[in-house]
Amino acid sequence: MTKRKRPSQGNRKPQRPDQAAAKRQEERAPAEQPIPQHMEPQPAPLEQVDPGQDAERPPMASVDGRSAWRRLLRMGRPRPTKANLLSALLAVLLGTAIATQVQLTNSRGLEDLSQSDLVRVLDDVSVRSSRLDQQVRELEATRDRLKNGTGDTAEAMQQAENRVDTLGILAGAVPAHGPGIHVTISDPDRQVTGPVVLDLIQELRDAGAEAIDVGGVRVVASTYIGNQNSAIQVDGHSVARPIEVKAIGDSKTLASAMTIPGGVVESVRQKGGTAVVTEVDDVRITSVHEATPMTHATPAE
């Protein structure tokens, strides 16, 4: 048997106790060494798939567009609570009421008037027709007397003077007075514009007004109505507010023409203003219209 030689104590270097403990710890647990760059893990190569194998794989589930929209609509749909249902019902009822009121206001005819309103309209038309018939009879009688020579010179002169007065009143060349109405239009918000005043003048003319004054301006056949900076102008003259209108004619017929359903009073009320119609026994119109010289028209023989 061969005996192993022990290393001589002279060749060993003495070690300290802490160094010996550290060496024993290194021998028990292998030291963590950094992985070299060429040893880093590489990603697995892509697997090559045979095209013939695609038929064997199950197809992927496709996203249906309709189902996606349906899902979004379902998510955004409000919850049918009592409060939401009550709000929707009130909104529908309010919209229906507004639409119905606007339609009735815009297309209100004789078939929508009450029995009392129809009776009043019929009375106004009857009175106007009777007055026109009487004027026609008087003019025909005057024509016959003058044509047959049964009248004297004084009567002819009187008829001529009456004709001049009538033409002067219609032309606005002379002041006038007689029974009629006063109309006062108050409009704090200035929503009553020229078209409303023009409708008022047309209604008065249709009702047989013989002389009309708007804000101190005499209204004749050539009168025009306009607006300028929220101010109403009559023949170029600004009219102060509240608007004062005077009209001479049959007072009851003129007043009925103003207050008829769908007439001027109702139109002003819809604009946020008020129109007050007053029957007067003696209306005095002192304003006159300056006649414009004719440049083209001449009397025909």
Side-chain angles (χ1 to χ4, degrees):
M1 178 180 297
T2 305
K3 295 182 180 180
R4 301 172 66 181
K5 293 182 180 182
R6 296 181 179 179
S8 60
Q9 296 292 334
N11 295 336
R12 286 187 174 180
K13 293 182 179 181
Q15 296 180 351
R16 291 183 299 180
D18 54 349
Q19 292 180 353
K23 186 175 182 180
R24 286 194 301 270
Q25 187 69 19
E26 290 178 359
E27 291 177 353
R28 292 176 182 176
E32 296 181 358
Q33 300 294 333
I35 301 175
Q37 186 174 4
H38 65 276
M39 294 293 291
E40 292 182 357
Q42 299 295 330
L46 296 176
E47 181 181 359
Q48 296 182 357
V49 181
D50 188 3
Q53 296 179 357
D54 292 343
E56 300 178 359
R57 295 185 178 181
M60 297 180 62
S62 61
V63 179
D64 190 1
R66 294 182 180 178
S67 61
W69 281 108
R70 193 180 300 111
R71 194 177 302 112
L72 289 176
L73 291 175
R74 192 182 302 110
M75 294 174 60
R77 186 179 304 169
R79 297 180 179 178
T81 60
K82 292 183 178 179
N84 292 339
L85 293 177
L86 182 59
S87 301
L89 180 60
L90 291 177
V92 171
L93 292 177
L94 181 60
T96 304
I98 293 175
T100 304
Q101 182 64 29
V102 171
Q103 185 177 3
L104 289 177
T105 302
N106 295 334
S107 61
R108 190 175 185 181
L110 294 177
E111 64 275 5
D112 298 326
L113 299 181
S114 61
Q115 185 176 1
S116 59
D117 294 335
L118 290 174
V119 171
R120 185 169 56 180
V121 172
L122 182 59
D123 292 341
D124 295 341
V125 174
S126 300
V127 171
R128 191 181 310 175
S129 178
S130 300
R131 186 179 66 251
L132 293 177
D133 291 339
Q134 182 179 359
Q135 292 178 359
V136 169
R137 288 192 298 269
E138 292 176 356
L139 292 175
E140 288 178 349
T142 303
R143 181 200 62 185
D144 295 339
R145 287 196 303 270
L146 294 176
K147 185 177 180 179
N148 297 330
T150 56
D152 55 4
T153 305
E155 184 179 357
M157 290 298 296
Q158 184 64 35
Q159 294 295 334
E161 291 178 0
N162 293 338
R163 186 65 176 171
V164 169
D165 293 340
T166 301
L167 293 177
I169 293 174
L170 294 177
V174 295
H177 73 95
I181 62 172
H182 282 174
V183 181
T184 303
I185 299 177
S186 302
D187 179 30
D189 298 333
R190 294 180 174 268
Q191 296 298 319
V192 176
T193 56
V196 178
V197 177
L198 182 59
D199 290 341
L200 183 147
I201 295 173
Q202 295 292 351
E203 291 290 344
L204 291 175
R205 284 175 173 171
D206 294 340
E210 298 173 354
I212 302 174
D213 178 282
V214 177
V217 181
R218 189 69 170 269
V219 176
V220 295
S222 61
T223 298
Y224 63 92
I225 311 296
N227 295 319
Q228 185 176 8
N229 299 329
S230 71
I232 299 176
Q233 290 192 337
V234 180
D235 281 344
H237 301 280
S238 297
V239 176
R241 298 176 188 264
I243 304 171
E244 297 288 343
V245 181
K246 301 177 183 179
I248 296 176
D250 186 85
S251 59
K252 294 190 178 300
T253 304
L254 296 178
S256 299
M258 295 292 97
T259 58
I260 191 173
V264 174
V265 174
E266 185 174 347
S267 299
V268 172
R269 185 169 58 251
Q270 291 177 358
K271 296 287 186 180
T274 57
V276 180
V277 181
T278 306
E279 299 182 16
V280 182
D281 295 334
D282 188 17
V283 177
R284 292 189 171 271
I285 297 179
T286 58
S287 59
V288 295
H289 176 74
E290 296 182 0
T292 303
M294 299 296 175
T295 57
H296 302 285
T298 57
E301 296 180 358

